[in-house]
Amino acid sequence: QFKRRVVQRGSTRSVALPFGPFHLGNAGDGGRRALRVWTVIDDDSVRHIGQLGEIKLWDAATGEELRTIRADTSAVSIVAFSPDGSRILLGSSHNTVKVWDAAATGEELRTLKGSRGVVSRSVFSPNGERLGTCCERVDWFVVWDTLEGRELQKFHGHVDAVSTIYFSRDGLQIASGSMDRTVRLWDGESGKMLTVLKGHEGEVTSLGFFSDQVRLASASKDDTIRIWNSHSGEALTVLK
């Protein structure tokens, strides 16, 4: 049974939920920027990351604070977890993405530099070895090597800001959605653009591959969800 805690005041900018151990993260602004990340792990402890530049480790059963780590969370715009829940990604308005150890040491692992502007969306590849990020008002996105902390490739092709990106389960395809109302599919290894999916009448805000790695769902501000065949580019159905 979980204890109820009231910790957030004001708006929430980001929520992150990885697979594996239960984590919840959000970046909010209650008159001052604050980031909070909670994770329930096997020894009944909870990690609370954020507010005033701190990473905190709590005991979930007693509420006792176990440890505090200093961290720069003053400009956090996005929170994401690696698929196994072992790493936390913090995107910021300072053109950087930082990756932290969430499972063992709580230490900062690396800083990814090269973003342009506020990091608006980030997603790990299913194996956790790559990371895709896009920024507000930028019409391209970047894929990084998370193990070495280096930029692998920039993906150019959209004609307006990229809103969302998603990896297929095998990592062989990357989908991106944009304010230009299109979904674009890319070869996950070469970076070559494979096809452009057109049909939405508003910004594409969210993407997801089905488990068959063929069908792709896209959600848009036109109040529809479209299902596509990602191999042929055929529009299969529209949900309104």
Side-chain angles (χ1 to χ4, degrees):
Q1 183 177 357
F2 295 102
K3 293 186 176 182
R4 183 173 178 230
R5 297 175 183 271
V6 179
V7 295
Q8 183 71 30
R9 295 289 186 272
S11 62
T12 296
R13 298 189 61 184
S14 174
V15 173
L17 284 167
F19 299 102
F22 181 81
H23 304 69
L24 171 63
N26 65 66
D29 188 349
R32 58 189 177 185
R33 287 182 182 269
L35 165 71
R36 301 175 190 274
V37 177
W38 300 88
T39 174
V40 179
I41 55 180
D42 293 340
D43 58 359
D44 291 327
S45 61
V46 175
R47 285 188 179 86
H48 163 216
I49 296 191
Q51 186 158 314
L52 303 180
E54 294 180 340
I55 296 178
K56 292 181 178 290
L57 177 64
W58 303 83
D59 185 296
T62 66
E64 178 186 1
E65 181 181 327
L66 303 177
R67 186 170 60 168
T68 299
I69 304 170
R70 301 300 299 178
D72 178 14
T73 61
S74 60
V76 171
S77 57
I78 194 73
V79 187
F81 284 89
S82 61
D84 62 3
S86 66
R87 288 166 292 166
I88 302 173
L89 174 148
L90 309 180
S92 83
S93 58
H94 293 162
N95 304 335
T96 62
V97 175
K98 293 181 180 289
V99 181
W100 295 77
D101 184 322
T105 65
E107 295 179 351
E108 181 181 332
L109 299 175
R110 58 190 54 86
T111 298
L112 311 180
K113 298 181 180 180
S115 298
R116 181 179 297 175
V118 178
V119 179
S120 58
R121 187 65 63 93
S122 59
V123 60
F124 280 89
S125 63
N127 63 9
E129 294 180 359
R130 289 179 293 165
L131 172 74
T133 62
C134 57
C135 297
E136 293 182 4
R137 297 184 293 277
V138 177
D139 61 7
W140 44 266
F141 67 96
V142 181
V143 170
W144 310 81
D145 183 316
T146 63
L147 303 180
E148 298 182 5
R150 62 187 177 90
E151 178 184 311
L152 293 175
Q153 191 164 7
K154 287 185 174 73
F155 291 71
H156 294 270
H158 285 287
V159 296
D160 207 336
V162 177
S163 308
T164 183
I165 47 183
Y166 204 86
F167 288 87
S168 64
R169 181 176 294 185
D170 58 12
L172 296 180
Q173 287 192 91
I174 303 173
S176 59
S178 167
M179 293 181 69
D180 67 10
R181 305 179 182 183
T182 69
V183 175
R184 295 173 189 257
L185 293 169
W186 312 79
D187 186 295
E189 295 183 344
S190 69
K192 178 183 177 181
M193 188 190 304
L194 301 175
T195 189
V196 180
L197 308 180
K198 297 181 179 180
H200 281 298
E201 297 178 356
E203 175 187 356
V204 179
T205 57
S206 185
L207 295 165
F209 279 95
F210 284 73
S211 59
D212 60 17
Q213 303 186 96
V214 175
R215 290 173 296 163
L216 172 73
S218 61
S220 168
K221 287 186 176 180
D222 64 9
D223 296 328
T224 68
I225 296 173
R226 292 176 179 264
I227 311 299
W228 312 83
N229 182 313
S230 65
H231 291 178
S232 68
E234 177 188 2
L236 302 176
T237 190
V238 180
L239 308 176
K240 298 182 179 181

